[in-house]
Amino acid sequence: ESVPVQGEDWYVTAAASVEAATGRTVRLSARDSGQNGGDVIWIAHDGSPRILMSAQHSIFTDDPDFWPSVVEVDVSTGRSKSVQRAFAEVWNWYADSQGVVRMGISRSLDGRESKLLYRGVAGAWLKEVARQRRGENGYIRPALFLGAGDKAVAFADDENGFNAVYDYDLATHELGAKLYGSKVFDIGGVVANARGDALAGVKFGEDASRI
């Protein structure tokens, strides 16, 4: 939706849940929202209606709430609690299979500098582990966290120039062995197991979408 701000229309977004049986909708985003009103970064696998959502709460760059924070939301009621405060210039947050926010990637407003923040276990401080003088696209991003340790899987171009799936060591931020790739197409996504902590399949499109 668009909202009027100082005579101009600003586009903001919000998230809502829909109950399948009744069609009842519940607003999940806070009343004050921003351009990123709610990105789901984790879904509970224990049957409870919980998600983690990264969201802005302001459209003004000089407001601390402009930077996304992470909240745990009950999608059946809309009730939420904070699990990760916002960090200036951190736009993207990543959570492991247990719902622990493990990684954040920042990008300065001028686009000249980016930082990678990481924590190894729940409750630890986020530490800056890498910095680069360009956009955030140079960082490897976990496609799937494996268990609660420092292992993940990630995408990277292989020797054939196609997107493939690799082991990824979160502690060293280095790629390991290639798990799956093709000489003729890119891997487009991964499929997790029922617990969300192991690789069960990969998605690709040759002449049709397949898993």
Side-chain angles (χ1 to χ4, degrees), residues 99-184:
V100 177
V101 178
R102 299 279 297 279
M103 182 180 290
I105 298 179
S106 75
R107 182 184 72 251
S108 61
L109 286 175
D110 61 13
R112 294 181 179 181
E113 185 175 76
S114 180
K115 300 175 184 176
L116 180 65
L117 306 177
Y118 179 72
R119 64 164 56 96
V121 295
W125 290 100
L126 282 165
K127 296 182 179 180
E128 180 184 325
V129 295
R131 181 183 297 201
Q132 59 186 23
R133 293 286 182 177
R134 60 182 184 275
E136 78 277 15
N137 290 333
Y139 293 123
I140 299 171
R141 302 161 186 257
L144 176 66
F145 287 84
L146 304 178
D150 286 321
K151 302 299 181 183
V153 298
F155 295 113
D157 288 344
D158 63 10
E159 67 278 5
N160 300 307
F162 289 98
N163 207 30
V165 182
Y166 288 83
D167 276 323
Y168 178 36
D169 190 316
L170 292 160
T172 63
H173 307 288
E174 295 179 347
L175 292 175
K178 183 166 72 172
L179 302 176
Y180 193 84
S182 168
K183 295 182 179 180
V184 295

Side-chain angles (χ1 to χ4, degrees), residues 56-69:
Q56 291 174 286
H57 301 294
S58 174
I59 62 173
F60 300 104
T61 57
D62 59 350
D63 187 336
D65 285 336
F66 176 78
W67 310 105
S69 58

Side-chain angles (χ1 to χ4, degrees), residues 2-106:
S2 61
V3 296
V5 178
Q6 297 178 350
E8 296 184 7
D9 287 335
W10 285 68
Y11 184 73
V12 299
T13 62
S17 66
V18 180
E19 189 174 42
T22 65
R24 182 178 72 97
T25 61
V26 176
R27 184 184 175 96
L28 305 180
S29 299
R31 183 174 300 275
D32 295 324
S33 189
Q35 289 93 333
N36 170 13
D39 285 340
V40 177
I41 64 171
W42 174 80
I43 299 173
H45 296 280
D46 60 1
S48 63
R50 298 176 298 131
I51 64 171
L52 292 186
M53 194 169 66
S54 170
Q56 291 174 286
H57 301 294
S58 174
I59 62 173
F60 300 104
T61 57
D62 59 350
D63 187 336
D65 285 336
F66 176 78
W67 310 105
S69 58
V70 181
V71 293
E72 180 185 290
V73 186
D74 183 323
V75 298
S76 65
T77 64
R79 293 175 180 170
S80 65
K81 64 179 181 180
S82 176
V83 299
Q84 175 61 59
R85 68 177 179 87
F87 275 54
E89 300 184 343
V90 172
W91 295 94
N92 302 102
W93 293 107
Y94 299 86
D96 66 16
S97 61
Q98 305 301 309
V100 177
V101 178
R102 299 279 297 279
M103 182 180 290
I105 298 179
S106 75

